[in-house]
Amino acid sequence: LYNPIKIFYKTYILQNIRALFLKKHLSSKYLNFEEIKRTNFAFFPLHTEPEVSLMVRAPHCVNQIEIIRNIARSLPTGLKLLVKEHPVAIGKRKFGFYRKLLDIPNVNLVNPSINAQEIISNSKMVFTINSSIGQDAIILGKPVICFGDVSYQVLPNVLRLKSFENIG
């Protein structure tokens, strides 16, 4: 049943309160742009949830924490995985989600205010489920590994993986 008051509360009030809470508690954990430039890393942009691109085009990828865990575990020594929140999703996820990400060895969170193209420019590669960030990475000459179906998967420098067994 459509309830406009409940939607308004969740979208504008609760999300903004949660965003302020996250900013206060995570700001010391975020890498800033200067730290990013000194880091050897791969980049994974978080996808919004719920989202049709995840639920329909990549139903095997709805647990982004496990995807990140698998990627981080498969990276070569010396290469970190930097994760950035989707701009639309700031304040939608609970603090526990980020705590789980920070518990994964070799994973760092990036300040969500940093432009994604600047992160991509400094990355060695980009992992995505099926984000348009992959297109940005291709334009910037970075290799892309995607886990879901994307229109650009036929291009050079793009590898479409159907399972996590082949990440390494």
Side-chain angles (χ1 to χ4, degrees), residues 10 14 18 35 45 49-50 63 69-70 72 86 88 95 108 110 113 127-128 130 133 135 139 155 161 166:
K10 286 180 90 176
L14 185 61
R18 193 175 281 151
E35 292 169 314
E49 294 178 47
N63 187 341
R69 188 181 321 278
N70 280 299
H86 192 288
V88 174
F95 182 71
N108 290 99
V110 174
S113 66
F127 288 89
T128 183
N130 53 16
I133 290 287
Q135 291 173 312
I139 291 167
L155 296 174
L161 293 180
N166 302 326

Side-chain angles (χ1 to χ4, degrees), residues 36 38-42 71-82 105-108 122-125:
I36 289 170
R38 295 188 307 264
T39 304
N40 193 21
F41 69 93
I71 294 169
R73 186 180 309 142
S74 302
L75 290 175
T77 303
L79 193 64
K80 291 192 169 293
L81 182 62
L82 270 51
N106 207 33
V107 171
N108 290 99
N122 288 279
S123 72
K124 299 295 182 200
M125 64 184 348

